[in-house]
Amino acid sequence: DTEVTQTPKHLVMGMTNKKSLKCEQHMGHRAMYWYKQKAKKPPELMFVYSYEKLSINESVPSRFSPECPNSSLLNLHLHALQPEDSALYLCASSPWGPREETQYFGPGTRLLVL
Amino acid sequence: GQQVMQIPQYQHVQEGEDFTTYCNSSTTLSNIQWYKQRPGGHPVFLIQLVKSGEVKKQKRLTFQFGEAKKNSSLHITATQTTDVGTYFCAGDRGSTLGRLYFGRGTQLTVWP
């Protein structure tokens, strides 16, 4: 199994809603990532988990809350989002270690905040 | 500021023409990776370059890593409509595991 899966594919939510994005990989990778991508822009790193511990938080607002229940799963909990948070949210995974940085991206969740 | 510069931002070619995109880092990189993102899709890993001066080929695609490990290029020979998409380079500075510095991408359009 060489793929990263993400659910849902599309999500529309109001600014008062609470929702969660889910990501799963079964490649035995020990690092998982959340990225945000706006149209015609590169992916923007949000969080990195390595060995199920948060290792990088790119000063992301607290309305985004990551969770890594185990080495195969990664969640992103959303609460009180703003319309400018509308974007493609990409999950990625990689082996962990020097020169093991190749990241494999999931198909993403297209989020629209109304 | 932007860590990895990538040019051009857009490239329009006729099918059969060649295409090149360039990346340049302000600092020496441990390795550089290339990704392709089709319209409406997600980034897909193409290749990783690690060694100084490394050249790798994948069919019509040729990837180069500069001698100083600060620049890289992707060249596509005889483009096809299936090459359409945005090509991103992503540099690993080796200082923070998991941290890649993405170029802004080159959006390639191929006219039939």
Side-chain angles (χ1 to χ4, degrees), chain B residues 33-47:
Chain B
Q33 299 167 37
W34 286 90
Y35 294 81
K36 176 184 178 181
Q37 186 170 16
R38 293 180 187 274
H42 60 279
V44 174
F45 172 75
L46 294 177
I47 208 155

Side-chain angles (χ1 to χ4, degrees), chain B residues 36-85:
Chain B
K36 176 184 178 181
Q37 186 170 16
R38 293 180 187 274
H42 60 279
V44 174
F45 172 75
L46 294 177
I47 208 155
Q48 179 180 9
L49 304 171
V50 178
K51 299 176 183 176
S52 169
E54 190 168 17
V55 177
K56 287 189 177 180
K57 293 190 176 184
Q58 289 180 350
K59 297 183 180 178
R60 295 177 294 103
L61 278 60
T62 302
F63 304 84
Q64 292 189 315
F65 201 11
E67 293 289 342
K69 300 183 73 173
K70 287 186 174 183
N71 56 70
S72 182
S73 64
L74 158 58
H75 179 80
I76 302 179
T77 304
T79 55
Q80 299 175 358
T81 53
T82 52
D83 295 324
V84 165

